Amino acid sequence: NAGVTQTPKFQVLKTGQSMTLQCAQDMNHNSMYWYRQDPGMGLRLIYYSASEGTTDKGEVPNGYNVSRLNKREFSLRLESAAPSQTSVYFCASIRTGSREQFFGPGTRLTVL
Amino acid sequence: LAKTTQPISMDSYEGQEVNITCSHNNIATNDYITWYQQFPSQGPRFIIQGYKTKVTNEVASLFIPADRKSSTLSLPRVSLSDTAVYYCLVGPSGNTPLVFGKGTRLSVIA
């Protein structure tokens, strides 16, 4: 039981490049979330998916797109990376009706 | 979602009990109070959740007064490994995402 896994762990991009952050969970959870965390700050919600086939915007969705590929996987795409998107990205999943989110190890992204 | 207010930082010596209070004046009837812990370079980890009165688990206790406008996370006899950021979140059970504020940065000193 791996919990929530994220790939890659680290990534450096140049301004304008695109990339996809991958997230998968093996706990059969319905809901999945993507957050970003800037240095010294709390987590800010980018997008979430309450169930397979649905996605909704969070606090800071601009510059990102998501895909809920199936119940296990929820990916985050940066179409044209900008330095302001330098951050640590966390994926999380949660069982329906619960308040206990399970977080992945994070992806550290630097955009030059 | 209810707005929460908690101290930005706290210091404590090893072995002491630490109490972190969170204010949530506009908590709704169906809102729960949840606390998370985050170590450096890791994602947050669920600690405890409660609705009213007192909840205790192997890690912490959560005290919620009758009016539910605040809550207090109590960490007994902290050690250096309890140095982390602690987040208080308030919201209904279900799929509605909760908001992580800046949390309280606890530093435990030897």
Side-chain angles (χ1 to χ4, degrees):
Chain A
N1 190 336
V4 179
T5 57
Q6 293 183 236
T7 56
K9 286 187 169 51
F10 301 92
Q11 184 71 49
V12 178
L13 294 177
K14 294 181 180 178
T15 297
Q17 287 186 317
S18 63
M19 79 160 295
T20 299
L21 281 63
Q22 306 287 353
C23 174
Q25 52 92 10
D26 61 2
M27 296 172 283
N28 202 36
H29 289 166
N30 286 320
S31 300
M32 298 184 72
Y33 306 115
W34 274 106
Y35 294 92
R36 62 175 287 174
Q37 186 172 36
D38 300 330
M41 304 291 288
L43 283 78
R44 291 186 291 170
L45 184 66
I46 305 171
Y47 270 94
Y48 68 101
S49 170
S51 61
E52 184 180 354
T54 67
T55 60
D56 285 287
K57 295 179 180 179
E59 302 169 70
V60 288
N62 291 343
Y64 305 95
N65 285 302
V66 290
S67 294
R68 184 73 184 269
L69 304 170
N70 47 55
K71 192 170 187 178
R72 289 187 65 248
E73 299 170 291
F74 188 36
S75 62
L76 178 72
R77 182 162 178 82
L78 287 72
E79 291 291 351
S80 180
S84 61
Q85 294 177 304
T86 293
S87 190
V88 180
Y89 291 84
F90 289 104
C91 176
S93 70
I94 187 169
R95 182 171 47 85
T96 299
S98 170
R99 292 286 77 184
E100 183 176 358
Q101 292 189 44
F102 293 83
F103 284 80
T107 294
R108 293 185 178 277
L109 175 66
T110 301
V111 183
L112 302 175
Chain B
L1 292 173
K3 178 177 166 56
T4 60
T5 302
Q6 50 183 126
I8 292 175
S9 64
M10 296 180 69
D11 294 332
S12 176
Y13 287 102
E14 276 192 295
Q16 290 188 329
E17 178 184 73
V18 170
N19 295 310
I20 304 174
T21 297
C22 179
S23 171
H24 29 79
N25 290 320
N26 59 339
I27 189 169
T29 303
N30 59 342
D31 284 346
Y32 283 75
I33 300 153
T34 311
W35 285 80
Y36 282 79
Q37 174 191 56
Q38 185 179 26
F39 296 116
S41 302
Q42 294 185 26
R45 181 177 75 108
F46 173 90
I47 302 176
I48 198 165
Q49 172 180 292
Y51 184 80
K52 61 180 179 180
T53 63
K54 177 183 174 182
V55 180
T56 297
N57 62 22
E58 65 278 4
V59 177
S61 294
L62 179 59
F63 298 92
I64 305 168
D67 66 5
R68 305 200 327 124
K69 292 184 183 301
S70 67
S71 58
T72 299
L73 176 73
S74 181
L75 304 172
R77 296 183 299 281
V78 295
S79 65
L80 295 175
S81 62
D82 292 315
T83 293
V85 178
Y86 293 83
Y87 297 96
C88 165
L89 289 77
V90 173
S93 182
N95 291 326
T96 305
L98 301 183
V99 175
F100 282 81
K102 293 185 180 180
T104 297
R105 187 172 299 274
L106 173 65
S107 297
V108 180
I109 307 162

